[in-house]
Structure formats: structure tokens, C-alpha cells
Amino acid sequence: MRVPVLLCALACLSAAPGPVTAADRSCTDLRQFYTGKGFTLAGVPQTEISGEHLRMCPQGPTCCTSTMEESLAGLTARETEGLIREAGRSLQAAFNALHRSFDTYFTELHSHSERSLQEALSPLGPLYSQNTRLYADLYTDLRQYYRGSALNLDETLTEFWSRLLERTFKTSAPADVSLSEDYLECVAKQQETLRPFGDVPRDMKAKVIRAFVTARSFVQGLIVSGEVVRKVSQVSLSPDCTKALMKLVYCPHCRGMASVKPCSNYCSNVMKGCLANQADLDPEWQNLIDTMIQVVASFSTEPSLDVVLSSIPARIYEAVHYQQENVDAFTAKVYQTCGHPGEPGTGSPALHEQQRRKSGSLTASEYKPSPTAGLRLEMQVSDLSSKLREMRQYWVQLPVAICSKLAAGGAAQEKCWNGITKARYLPEVMGDGLANQINNPEVELDITKPDMTIRQQIMQLKIMSNRLKNALDGNDVDFQDASDDISGSGSGMCVGGQCPHNRPGLYAYSPDNNRVRGAAASRARLCGLLLPLPLVFLLLQR
């Protein structure tokens, strides 16, 4: 009796349905997904095949051939690079918006100050009306400097006061006194020693230089930061990164787990490995952003940016008024130094009574911007600072931002793709930067071979930070030269399509008054003579 019972049991077991074999599982979903990505169905299996051929995905039953694996790997690399470039373009747009906002604010301040010249200086009579070109040229030079022209601002302002002294001295002289060009040149040289304009030139120079140097350096910092983002965002992903991305993103599809998203920690390790070089920008990037925030804060430090620019006409008036009030004493000292002009009427020049009237001096403290202007500066500083702070951790937050679009949420960490199957991801998350990837379980990296493009951009961040710190100290910086080693393209300060590359003269006087003036020209000629000397010396040694 036992034998028939056993035979019956075996027959029942053999008739019971067993597990579905690999050959029975359909690849319909993958085929549809694959064509949706733009690939053809040529060679795509109808049902699962053995996965011994796979090189990136875990081996086992799969719907992906080797060709499909390669195609999907290239696709995920392109898609991820697209996400990186998209994030970079967003940050570039933010820098461009900050640039436009500040440039609009600063140029409006400059233009308002220039427009107020006539109102502030018209009480000077001929001393204004006969010298409008001189005043206008000062504003032109200041504007060109801000735009990136390689003017020396210290020499520009010194030259302005020297030329103004010539004009005021000549206007104040009696009509029958003839002043030669050489004599006026001697008068102009007394500007520093005799201080005919009082303390105004020295005080105004320090404040104007500080305002324009910090403003220009800040704009340059915004441009350089955006350019670094653009160049780094174009760096291609490595082959090892491409393999890790394929395993992260599309291997679940090959295994029939299309609905299972990657574990967040798993994604973090892959992206930290892929973007390890980019994360090395972080220390210098944060240093640059912090320094730009300090520069922004300096705009509202007394005397604030708006006060300095708005008070330029009043300070010029104050200086000329002081000179006219003390013209007799100054003229006597000029005669001691330069001698008498040698023409009739060589006594002390006498001004017309209209010009000598003792009106109350209009000082800079009486010519402040309106409260609305101060409020606008406060809002500008606040807005710039807050937006810059949001950018500080961009490079270390980039993997997080990309994984937020790829990985499973926090509640699904027990049922997510861990690179092998649907389960929790156990390895620890790596730190940021190339050196911390030595034990990254997902991306193979040679930490001794950093990406050279990114290393170059790290150096540019250092250079720009140093220049900004110099600007905070009030030190002038030649950004026309700086732009070449920052961007590598010589783009410099190009705003509104204006990209000045030449070194224009301090003032564009008419041809009948084109004398070579100032120490700058003399030094330029001297440098031209001295530069060949070391070469001659070396040749003689041979």
C-alpha cells in the first residue's frame, strides 16, 4: 500500500506549479522604457536572459544586453552632466542678477552725482563755466575705472587737482598778466606742498579711491565667480563615475525593479565620488564668498558709498572756495617758488568782487544724499549679502541637490535600491572632497590625480580673494591685467558690451593743449628706457 501512496504524492508534487524561471519573465516594461529613451528595439530581449555578460550591473537574470548596458550608461552620464550644468546655469544666473542689480545702483549713483555738478558749482561763476570739460573728464575717468579701464586712480585724482589749480590760478590773475605754460606747470606742482585747496584733495582722494576700488573689485568678484561655475560645470564625468551612475540609476530597470528608487545614502556616495574634485573648491569658494560679503558690508561703512559719490561736487566746491578765500597768501608763496610772471601788474591777483563775496562755504556735511538714498543702499547691502550667503555651500550641497531628484525619500530606506537588490544600504556615507573618497565603496578614484581644470579654478578663487582683501584695505588693483590670469580669456570687465582694453590718457584735452603732464608720463618714459638694461647687462656678461 505504501508504494502507491508515494507515487501519488510524487505525482501531486510534480503537478504543482513551481517558481517562474528567468525565461518566463517578460521584458515588456523595459522594452517600452528603452524605446522611450530614444533607443531602438534591435537586440532587446523579449524575456529575461542570463546576466553573466553584465559589467556594471549585478550579474543575474536581466533584460539588458551588453550593448544596452553601455547605451544606458552613456545616457545616465549625459543626464547627470545635464543636471550639473543646469544647477550651474542657475547659479550663474544668480550671479548675473546680483551684478545687474549692483551695477544699476552704482551707475545711477555716479550719474546723479555728475548731474548735480552744475547746481553745486555754478556759484563759482567762471571757475565752473570755463572748466566744465575738466569736471566732466573727471567723471568720465571714474566711470572708465569702474568699468575696468587700467587707470591709476591715485594719479588720475592728483592730475585733476593739479589741472584745476592751473585753471583757478589763471582765472584769478589780472587780465594784463600773461602766464606762460611753463609758469602754470610750476603752479600746478605746488598743489601737494602748498595745499591751496586745503585738506579736501587728500581727504576726497582717500574716500573716492576706497569707494571705487571696492565697487570695481566686487563686480569683478561676481564675474569671476560666475565664470568659475561655468567652467567647472562643463567638466566631464569620469568613466568610473559613469559605471557607478549606471548601477545607481538604470540597473534597477534591467533587474525588473523600475519602480524602486536608489537609497539616499547610496546615491550620496555615488555623487560624492563623482563630484569629489568639485567639492575641493569648497574652502576657497567659501573664502571668496565671505570676502565679497565683507566688501558689501564696507559699502555702508561711514562714509558710505552713496555719501562719497553724491558729495563729490560739494567737495570740489569746498576746495575751490577755500582756494579763493586764501588766494593772496597762496599767490605770494607761488611767487616765492616760481618767481613773478614778469609782466605788468605782477602784484597779487585780484578777483572780481562777485567772485570774492564771502558766501558760507558749502561743505560735504551739508550735501548728503536724501534718506531715501540711504535706505536704498541699506536694501542693496542686505539683498547682496543674503543672496551671497545662500551660495556659500554650493559645491558640497551639489551632490545633495542631485540626489534629491534621483533617490528615494527618507521613509523608503528599507525598500530602496542599494546597488544589488531592494533593501537597506549599509555602508557609511563618505565625506566631501577627493581625499575623503579613498574608501568610497561605489566609485573608484585615484586621489593622487586631481582634475587639473578644477585645480586651476581653485587657484583663480584664491587670486580673486586676495584682490578683494587688497581692495578692502583701500589698495588699488589693476584688474585689466588681473582679468587675463583669472578668466584665461582676457575678458576683463565687460559691462553692457563695453570691454575697455587700452590705457586711455587721463584727460582728453584738445590738440592745442596736449602737453605731457604728470609724474605718470615721466615714469612711463623712464620705464621704457630702463627695461632693456637687464638684457644688455646679460649680453655683456656673455
Side-chain angles (χ1 to χ4, degrees):
M1 293 293 291
R2 292 181 181 178
V3 173
V5 172
L6 289 172
L7 290 173
C8 182
L10 289 171
C12 291
L13 288 171
S14 62
V20 179
T21 61
D24 296 326
R25 191 170 296 155
S26 172
C27 292
T28 302
D29 290 342
L30 180 66
R31 288 167 64 85
Q32 185 176 354
F33 162 79
Y34 195 65
T35 55
K37 291 294 184 180
F39 301 108
T40 67
L41 288 175
V44 179
Q46 297 282 351
T47 57
E48 280 189 340
I49 58 177
S50 173
E52 288 85 356
H53 58 280
L54 297 175
R55 291 184 296 170
M56 300 177 226
C57 296
Q59 293 186 345
T62 183
C63 285
C64 291
T65 63
S66 294
T67 301
M68 293 171 65
E69 189 181 37
E70 291 288 342
S71 298
L72 289 172
L75 175 64
T76 188
R78 292 191 297 274
E79 290 175 338
T80 305
E81 287 173 346
L83 290 175
I84 294 169
R85 285 193 293 270
E86 180 185 347
R89 283 192 294 268
S90 177
L91 186 57
Q92 282 180 267
F95 276 117
N96 290 338
L98 292 181
H99 183 188
R100 284 193 302 271
S101 174
F102 179 76
D103 184 63
T104 299
Y105 169 74
F106 189 83
T107 52
E108 286 180 0
L109 271 182
H110 183 278
S111 298
H112 179 268
S113 177
E114 187 173 12
R115 286 194 301 270
S116 66
L117 266 173
Q118 183 175 1
E119 178 185 352
L121 302 185
S122 57
L124 296 175
L127 291 177
Y128 169 68
S129 60
Q130 295 177 12
N131 299 305
T132 54
R133 177 68 179 276
L134 180 64
Y135 301 122
D137 284 347
L138 172 63
Y139 275 89
T140 298
D141 283 341
L142 291 176
R143 184 183 296 106
Q144 287 181 342
Y145 175 85
Y146 168 70
R147 293 297 189 204
S149 180
L151 290 170
N152 184 306
L153 207 50
D154 187 289
E155 292 179 358
T156 297
L157 291 167
T158 299
E159 182 81 355
F160 166 76
W161 290 109
S162 296
R163 301 288 74 80
L164 183 59
L165 179 57
E166 280 188 23
R167 305 300 182 83
T168 55
F169 188 85
K170 188 174 182 179
T171 303
S172 304
D176 57 347
V177 172
S178 176
L179 300 174
S180 67
E181 292 291 305
D182 290 340
Y183 193 85
L184 288 174
E185 188 71 25
C186 179
V187 171
K189 290 178 181 178
Q190 310 314 308
Q191 200 275 126
E192 290 286 344
T193 54
L194 299 182
R195 298 169 63 188
F197 298 116
D199 293 328
V200 172
R202 188 176 302 175
D203 181 65
M204 177 178 151
K205 180 190 290 187
K207 292 173 180 176
V208 167
I209 287 177
R210 175 180 173 273
F212 276 82
V213 167
T214 53
R216 185 170 79 159
S217 66
F218 176 67
V219 168
Q220 187 74 12
L222 293 175
I223 292 173
V224 169
S225 299
E227 191 68 5
V228 168
V229 173
R230 184 185 68 82
K231 290 183 177 180
V232 174
S233 298
Q234 292 175 346
V235 173
S236 300
L237 298 174
S238 68
D240 286 319
C241 170
T242 298
K243 293 177 183 177
L245 286 170
M246 171 61 194
K247 186 178 176 182
L248 174 77
V249 178
Y250 289 137
C251 284
H253 290 265
C254 294
R255 293 296 298 270
M257 301 181 188
S259 62
V260 182
K261 286 192 171 184
C263 301
S264 61
N265 285 353
Y266 172 35
C267 182
S268 293
N269 273 344
V270 171
M271 295 314 304
K272 282 175 181 282
C274 287
L275 300 174
N277 282 283
Q278 287 84 338
D280 281 346
L281 286 158
D282 182 65
E284 288 303 327
W285 177 263
Q286 291 203 35
N287 184 32
L288 176 58
I289 295 294
D290 289 342
T291 308
M292 282 200 286
I293 292 172
Q294 291 177 38
V295 170
V296 170
S298 74
F299 295 152
S300 57
T301 303
E302 292 297 332
S304 60
L305 192 65
D306 55 341
V307 170
V308 171
L309 266 70
S310 299
S311 65
I312 290 175
R315 299 312 304 276
I316 294 174
Y317 176 92
E318 181 184 353
V320 175
H321 189 273
Y322 178 90
Q323 190 263 346
Q324 295 300 298
E325 289 292 298
N326 298 277
V327 68
D328 293 341
F330 173 69
T331 301
K333 293 178 181 177
V334 167
Y335 286 174
Q336 291 177 4
T337 305
C338 302
H340 288 262
E343 297 291 339
T346 56
S348 298
L351 286 176
H352 299 295
E353 189 61 30
Q354 169 197 344
Q355 294 173 244
R356 293 292 300 271
R357 67 181 185 273
K358 295 188 179 285
S359 58
S361 176
L362 178 63
T363 64
S365 61
E366 295 169 340
Y367 196 77
K368 287 186 178 180
S370 66
T372 306
L375 180 61
R376 188 179 176 193
L377 174 61
E378 184 179 336
M379 293 174 61
Q380 184 76 207
V381 168
S382 176
D383 185 59
L384 290 170
S385 299
S386 62
K387 285 184 168 60
L388 285 169
R389 287 191 185 95
E390 293 172 2
M391 303 171 178
R392 287 184 77 250
Q393 295 186 314
Y394 173 78
W395 297 109
V396 293
Q397 290 296 320
L398 187 56
V400 178
I402 294 176
C403 284
S404 68
K405 300 182 179 183
L406 300 177
Q413 296 309 303
E414 296 291 342
K415 298 179 180 180
C416 52
W417 173 252
N418 65 7
I420 300 174
T421 187
K422 182 180 178 181
R424 172 175 285 274
Y425 182 75
L426 299 178
E428 64 176 343
V429 178
M430 299 293 102
D432 298 309
L434 188 60
N436 286 318
Q437 308 310 310
I438 189 169
N439 293 317
N440 192 315
E442 309 304 335
V443 185
E444 292 185 17
L445 288 167
D446 185 348
I447 64 171
T448 65
K449 295 181 179 179
D451 183 274
M452 295 313 298
T453 297
I454 293 177
R455 295 294 138 174
Q456 289 170 0
Q457 297 310 306
I458 291 174
M459 182 57 64
Q460 304 319 314
L461 294 176
K462 290 181 179 180
I463 291 171
M464 192 66 238
S465 294
N466 288 333
R467 292 196 171 115
L468 284 163
K469 288 171 183 175
N470 281 329
L472 279 172
D473 294 334
N475 296 328
D476 196 357
V477 180
D478 187 347
F479 276 117
Q480 187 62 35
D481 294 339
S483 66
D484 292 339
D485 58 41
I486 287 176
S487 68
S489 62
S491 58
M493 284 286 299
C494 298
V495 184
Q498 299 179 6
C499 304
H501 292 287
N502 300 323
R503 295 176 180 265
L506 294 178
Y507 294 98
Y509 287 114
S510 56
D512 61 343
N513 190 20
N514 60 357
R515 294 172 295 139
V516 177
R517 301 172 181 270
S522 299
R523 282 201 295 271
R525 291 194 301 270
L526 181 60
C527 288
L529 291 172
L530 291 179
L531 281 174
L533 290 180
L535 180 60
V536 173
F537 179 72
L538 289 173
L539 291 173
L540 289 174
Q541 280 189 319
R542 292 186 178 184

